[in-house]
Amino acid sequence: MLLKGISTPPKPNAKWAVFQKTRKMTLPVNRVFSRAQKFFTIGSCFAEEIRKALVAQNVLCLPEYSRIKVDPNRMRIDTLPAREHMNYYNTFSIRQEFERVAGLWQQEEGDFWTLPNRAIDNAMVVRGDGQVFQDPYRRLVFGSCEADLWDAIQQVNEAFTAGVRAADVFVITLGMTEVFRKLSDGRVANQIPVYAGGGGLAETEFHNSDYLENLRNMEVTLSLIREINPEAQIVLSVSPVPLERTFSGEDVFVANMQSKSTLRAVAGAIVRRYDFVHYFPGYEIVSGIGAAAYDERDMVHIKPEIVEVIVAAFVNTHFEAVLADQEAQP
């Protein structure tokens, strides 16, 4: 079985038949990281799983979302503080975040969505007699008034910026190519319209982005990271979490294959162009395992034990060979 067959010989498998017969995937060794470095994780929900697994390996991960103070009667900020992560599903949202840190754009005072007949109750958006205000650019960020929304936005801005400036390594997982663009300015919304009580249905249009758009987004993102943090190393992966649904009109299996293939091609091109970018095949490992890798409750999210194996393989092949907790062992 693939889970037991991950190995690190000097030469990777060169023949498809070898993989099919042995179910072993070979991972070349490239020990460029250490546990002393700070890892900034960003991307889809698979980035959250990578973050949790790295933390379990005693690796410091950024941004420090735990520093954000969420008043559940005034705001919602994704799933904080219960889960220390914020989802960025597409390369557009990721690029926009780094452009914000670099000072290339600033969210204008009225750049939010107003949701009538809503209220915030225990950090959830529910039906109510008033209004709730939503940030288009981040997943599930709401305020009970404009001031509360801007408080939430500013806190995330500060945590994100501090993390970018402090990080040594950036782990970026690429999630999907299907996006919703704002009609007013062409920027991309982080989340599909009306999700979890949110808005954006009248303010956005669907766009199925192509290879060149996503390649450009990643080139700009990497350039901004290195301008801010010149010695930063980048780890790219494609999220193995499939599209839960598609807005393309295609069958969801076909749409998912198109989306992941596009992003995998982008990742491959980026790694070939930049020597400070490293690709790790988490997507391929999960694809090799198949349905057994997925949580049976939704067949979308990856089982925690599979994520642990993937991150352990990454640590074993990319971190310094001698670990502190092994030095004292006979």
Side-chain angles (χ1 to χ4, degrees), residues 40-90:
F40 187 107
T41 60
I42 184 171
S44 64
C45 51
F46 191 65
E48 177 186 8
E49 301 303 325
I50 292 176
R51 179 186 179 112
K52 290 191 295 187
L54 283 173
V55 168
Q57 296 270 354
N58 297 316
V59 174
L60 177 60
C61 289
L62 302 169
E64 293 185 85
Y65 291 121
S66 60
R67 294 190 175 187
I68 296 175
K69 306 302 180 184
V70 182
D71 183 338
N73 296 314
R74 298 173 45 236
M75 63 185 68
R76 175 175 184 177
I77 304 179
D78 208 325
T79 55
L80 300 177
R83 295 162 55 192
E84 195 174 2
H85 175 72
M86 296 185 70
N87 281 346
Y88 293 91
Y89 294 103
N90 56 75

Side-chain angles (χ1 to χ4, degrees), residues 229-284:
N229 204 327
E231 300 301 319
Q233 295 287 305
I234 314 294
V235 178
L236 281 185
S237 67
V238 175
S239 172
V241 177
L243 299 180
E244 189 171 5
R245 64 182 65 84
T246 179
F247 298 88
S248 66
E250 299 278 0
D251 179 84
V252 69
F253 183 85
V254 175
N256 183 71
M257 183 66 71
Q258 170 67 28
S259 181
K260 301 299 183 181
S261 298
T262 298
L263 296 175
R264 181 60 184 90
V266 167
I270 290 292
V271 170
R272 288 189 293 271
R273 295 181 186 186
Y274 303 97
D275 60 5
F276 59 88
V277 182
H278 316 271
Y279 182 77
F280 190 76
Y283 173 75
E284 289 81 352

Side-chain angles (χ1 to χ4, degrees), residues 2 17 51 135 169 242 305:
L2 186 65
R51 179 186 179 112
D135 180 7
V169 184
E305 58 267 31

Side-chain angles (χ1 to χ4, degrees), residues 56-253:
Q57 296 270 354
N58 297 316
V59 174
L60 177 60
C61 289
L62 302 169
E64 293 185 85
Y65 291 121
S66 60
R67 294 190 175 187
I68 296 175
K69 306 302 180 184
V70 182
D71 183 338
N73 296 314
R74 298 173 45 236
M75 63 185 68
R76 175 175 184 177
I77 304 179
D78 208 325
T79 55
L80 300 177
R83 295 162 55 192
E84 195 174 2
H85 175 72
M86 296 185 70
N87 281 346
Y88 293 91
Y89 294 103
N90 56 75
T91 64
F92 296 85
S93 290
I94 293 171
R95 172 180 173 174
Q96 287 168 179
E97 287 297 320
F98 286 99
E99 287 178 332
R100 190 197 303 251
V101 173
L104 298 183
W105 77 284
Q106 183 176 355
Q107 194 167 349
E108 297 180 0
E109 186 174 341
D111 192 1
F112 53 75
W113 296 334
T114 302
L115 312 177
N117 304 315
R118 300 283 201 283
I120 291 180
D121 181 19
N122 195 27
M124 299 295 290
V125 176
V126 298
R127 290 290 177 181
D129 297 330
Q131 293 180 324
V132 166
F133 301 86
Q134 181 180 4
D135 180 7
Y137 304 110
R138 289 167 175 150
R139 181 178 184 265
L140 302 178
V141 175
F142 301 92
S144 60
C145 64
E146 292 184 33
D148 290 343
L149 176 63
W150 285 111
D151 181 11
I153 291 172
Q154 186 59 34
Q155 287 195 70
V156 176
N157 286 351
E158 292 173 358
F160 197 97
T161 300
V164 170
R165 298 193 183 283
D168 302 301
V169 184
F170 292 79
V171 180
I172 305 174
T173 69
L174 310 181
M176 63 179 66
T177 58
E178 295 189 10
V179 300
F180 284 83
R181 293 187 300 202
K182 293 173 66 219
L183 296 170
S184 60
D185 56 17
R187 294 196 184 280
V188 167
N190 179 286
Q191 183 66 61
I192 62 174
V194 305
Y195 179 75
L201 187 61
E203 292 86 354
T204 63
E205 62 179 359
F206 173 74
H207 174 63
N208 203 353
S209 59
D210 62 23
Y211 169 81
L212 291 177
E213 290 175 292
N214 285 278
L215 179 64
R216 180 57 179 162
N217 287 341
M218 291 310 304
E219 288 178 329
V220 171
T221 296
L222 298 184
S223 176
L224 292 172
I225 289 174
R226 295 283 282 196
E227 285 179 13
I228 297 167
N229 204 327
E231 300 301 319
Q233 295 287 305
I234 314 294
V235 178
L236 281 185
S237 67
V238 175
S239 172
V241 177
L243 299 180
E244 189 171 5
R245 64 182 65 84
T246 179
F247 298 88
S248 66
E250 299 278 0
D251 179 84
V252 69
F253 183 85

